[in-house]
Amino acid sequence: MAIERTLSIIKPDATRRNLTGRINAMLEEAGLRIVAQRRVRLTRAQAEGFYAVHKARPFFDSLCAFMTSGPVVVQVLEGDDAVAKNRKVMGATDSSKADAGTIRKTFAESIEANSAHGSDSAENAKGEIAYFFAGTDIVG
Ligand code: CMP
């Protein structure tokens, strides 16, 4: 297994409920290391740019409104197989289909307000990390 990095976002539904520490503990217990982290309030343009791949989807406008509705915590996670590991600890996008003990099963409020985002491939992770972090922000 290769050491990888992936982008994670703790979403506004989770920051509103003060769940950052509990989610970070779940990530760390899964063997992921938080090597960069910043709490930010996304602008509409930042949210639209980040989710540009979903622009044609019916949920795009609502998703961008949600992602700008409160602070998020953007973070870079590092570890063996970090992309897959993070997706496993997050659980399925639709929390009703997520495994017990996952972040989304434990905390999600809806398919949209699903508490966490994680890159879906190592290639996309590179672009998503660069969207929020300079190389010098990441301390492995
Ligand atoms: P995320 O992993 O950040 O990727 C796209 C986001 O769109 C997803 O999590 C959800 O927050 C949101 N979303 C809202 N509705 C849907 C849907 N029907 N299918 C997939 N994602 C959705």
Side-chain angles (χ1 to χ4, degrees):
M1 273 186 295
I3 294 281
E4 280 179 345
R5 286 177 175 170
T6 189
L7 185 87
S8 165
I9 305 179
I10 300 177
K11 296 188 180 185
D13 65 288
T15 60
R16 177 171 47 75
R17 289 175 286 155
N18 210 21
L19 296 172
T20 299
R22 288 172 70 186
I23 290 173
N24 281 352
M26 289 166 88
L27 297 171
E28 291 180 344
E29 278 157 21
L32 293 160
R33 188 171 290 271
I34 301 163
V35 294
Q37 177 166 256
R38 189 166 75 249
R39 182 174 168 105
V40 286
R41 184 76 183 252
L42 296 182
T43 64
R44 180 80 188 197
Q46 279 178 311
E48 288 182 358
F50 183 77
Y51 281 120
V53 65
H54 295 305
K55 202 166 176 45
R57 307 286 286 274
F59 57 79
F60 181 72
D61 275 342
S62 176
L63 172 62
C64 292
F66 164 62
M67 289 299 288
T68 56
S69 67
V72 300
V73 178
V74 292
Q75 47 191 194
V76 181
L77 309 178
E78 184 179 87
D80 275 335
D81 226 3
V83 172
K85 199 172 267 184
N86 184 40
R87 291 179 71 76
K88 188 157 194 274
V89 69
M90 278 195 307
T93 304
D94 179 352
S95 64
S96 70
K97 297 182 183 137
D99 290 340
T102 60
I103 291 167
R104 286 164 166 169
K105 187 68 170 186
T106 307
F107 297 124
E109 295 180 322
S110 66
I111 192 166
E112 177 176 86
N114 62 355
S115 303
H117 166 84
S119 309
D120 64 3
S121 69
E123 194 189 336
N124 286 342
K126 286 197 174 69
E128 292 189 356
I129 289 169
Y131 194 79
F132 289 110
F133 294 98
T136 49
D137 294 331
I138 303 167
V139 183

